């Protein structure tokens, strides 16, 4: 049985065929985001498996930006493992949950906007130049926007910046609409669950920030 083939169906529910790739991606994605909300380093290990699954799924769906995103995710997951488990002594303070400065936040937003435009243009040009290799991408700008937003969100997560959760809210909501339009109903449900977990994670991180701030205040006294 080749579980990496989207035509290999795990089961059918309400007339919808759920392939093994989508099913395993659903399970690993849910576990990974749940662990991230609890600052558990296992989120990155499960995330590596999730990257492999969705790489194969998006490749067969001709969502090339989202496919390549999984490679970037894998690299950032490895970075997160190293950063969270083997920090340098000078990095200990950086591992606490923190916020971006206004200037850094503006830079992040501009990077998402212009990065998405640049990637959209690049993928479109590649599809025209190499039609035998790259099929016409589906929803190319949305695909590009999700790629850049997800990369930024994952990078901020690895650095424990609380703004990562706001970016995930945007990407999860946008992804829900995309997967629904494409008929990936199980993945749509997964991303709805992502939204719920993301909201809870945001509240948890804010709570932890308040605890850390109170602890620092007591230490200074």
């Amino acid at each position: 049985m080749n579980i990496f083939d989207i035509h290999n169906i795990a089961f059918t529910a309400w007339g919808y065929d759920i392939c093994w790739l989508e099913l395993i991606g659903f399970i690993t994605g849910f576990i990974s985001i749940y662990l991230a909300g609890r600052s558990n380093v296992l989120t990155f290990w499960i995330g590596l498996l999730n990257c492999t699954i969705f790489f194969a799924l998006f490749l067969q769906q001709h969502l090339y930006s989202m496919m390549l995103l999984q490679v970037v995710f894998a690299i950032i997951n490895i970075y997160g493992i190293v950063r969270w488990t083997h920090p340098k002594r000078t990095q200990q303070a950086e591992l606490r949950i923190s916020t971006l400065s206004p200037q850094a936040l503006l830079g992040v937003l501009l990077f998402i906007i212009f990065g998405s435009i640049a990637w959209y243009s690049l993928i479109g040009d590649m599809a025209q130049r190499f039609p035998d290799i790259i099929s016409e991408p589906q929803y190319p700008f949305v695909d590009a926007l999700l790629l850049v937003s997800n990369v930024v969100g994952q990078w901020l997560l690895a650095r424990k910046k609380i703004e990562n959760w706001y970016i995930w809210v945007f990407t999860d909501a946008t992804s829900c609409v995309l997967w629904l339009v494409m008929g990936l109903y199980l993945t749509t449900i997964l991303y709805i669950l992502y939204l719920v977990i993301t909201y809870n994670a945001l509240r948890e991180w804010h709570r932890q920030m308040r605890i850390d701030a109170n602890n620092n205040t007591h230490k200074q006294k």
Side-chain angles (χ1 to χ4, degrees), residues 95-164:
L95 290 177
R96 293 179 180 176
I97 299 171
S98 60
T99 61
L100 293 171
S101 67
Q103 296 83 355
L105 179 59
L106 177 61
V108 165
L109 295 176
L110 290 175
F111 180 84
I112 291 175
I113 294 171
F114 290 104
S116 299
I117 295 172
W119 187 256
Y120 163 75
S121 301
L122 176 62
I123 289 297
D125 182 66
M126 293 290 288
Q128 291 182 357
R129 289 175 180 270
F130 308 103
D132 295 335
I133 300 176
I134 302 178
S135 302
E136 185 68 25
Q138 297 193 63
Y139 311 101
F141 184 74
V142 176
D143 195 23
L145 179 61
L146 288 175
L147 179 142
V148 177
S149 299
N150 274 279
V151 168
V152 172
Q154 188 72 11
W155 175 255
L156 293 178
L157 172 62
R159 298 183 64 83
K160 282 197 173 180
K161 297 295 183 180
I162 200 167
E163 288 80 3
N164 88 86

Side-chain angles (χ1 to χ4, degrees), residues 166-179:
Y166 292 103
I167 293 176
W168 288 125
V169 168
F170 168 76
T171 58
D172 291 345
T174 305
S175 296
C176 283
V177 177
L178 178 61
W179 308 145

Side-chain angles (χ1 to χ4, degrees), residues 46-211:
I46 302 297
L48 286 173
L49 175 58
N50 185 256
C51 290
T52 303
I53 296 300
F54 275 105
F55 181 94
L57 178 65
F58 293 139
L59 171 62
Q60 295 174 74
Q61 291 285 348
H62 305 301
L63 288 170
Y64 300 115
S65 294
M66 295 301 290
M67 178 193 75
L68 294 176
L69 173 63
Q70 306 312 308
V71 178
V72 178
F73 270 2
I75 295 172
I76 298 178
N77 275 318
I78 294 172
Y79 168 79
I81 292 171
V82 175
R83 184 70 182 272
W84 285 32
T85 58
H86 298 89
K88 297 178 182 179
R89 291 185 178 180
T90 57
Q91 293 177 329
Q92 288 290 348
E94 297 178 22
L95 290 177
R96 293 179 180 176
I97 299 171
S98 60
T99 61
L100 293 171
S101 67
Q103 296 83 355
L105 179 59
L106 177 61
V108 165
L109 295 176
L110 290 175
F111 180 84
I112 291 175
I113 294 171
F114 290 104
S116 299
I117 295 172
W119 187 256
Y120 163 75
S121 301
L122 176 62
I123 289 297
D125 182 66
M126 293 290 288
Q128 291 182 357
R129 289 175 180 270
F130 308 103
D132 295 335
I133 300 176
I134 302 178
S135 302
E136 185 68 25
Q138 297 193 63
Y139 311 101
F141 184 74
V142 176
D143 195 23
L145 179 61
L146 288 175
L147 179 142
V148 177
S149 299
N150 274 279
V151 168
V152 172
Q154 188 72 11
W155 175 255
L156 293 178
L157 172 62
R159 298 183 64 83
K160 282 197 173 180
K161 297 295 183 180
I162 200 167
E163 288 80 3
N164 88 86
W165 295 113
Y166 292 103
I167 293 176
W168 288 125
V169 168
F170 168 76
T171 58
D172 291 345
T174 305
S175 296
C176 283
V177 177
L178 178 61
W179 308 145
L180 185 62
V181 169
M182 295 189 64
L184 295 173
Y185 303 118
L186 185 61
T187 303
T188 302
I189 295 173
L190 172 63
Y191 274 75
I192 291 173
L193 292 175
Y194 278 179
L195 277 172
V196 175
I197 296 173
T198 294
Y199 174 73
N200 290 331
L202 181 60
R203 293 180 58 189
E204 175 63 23
W205 279 40
H206 272 298
R207 186 186 68 82
Q208 188 59 52
M209 281 185 64
R210 289 193 295 269
I211 293 174

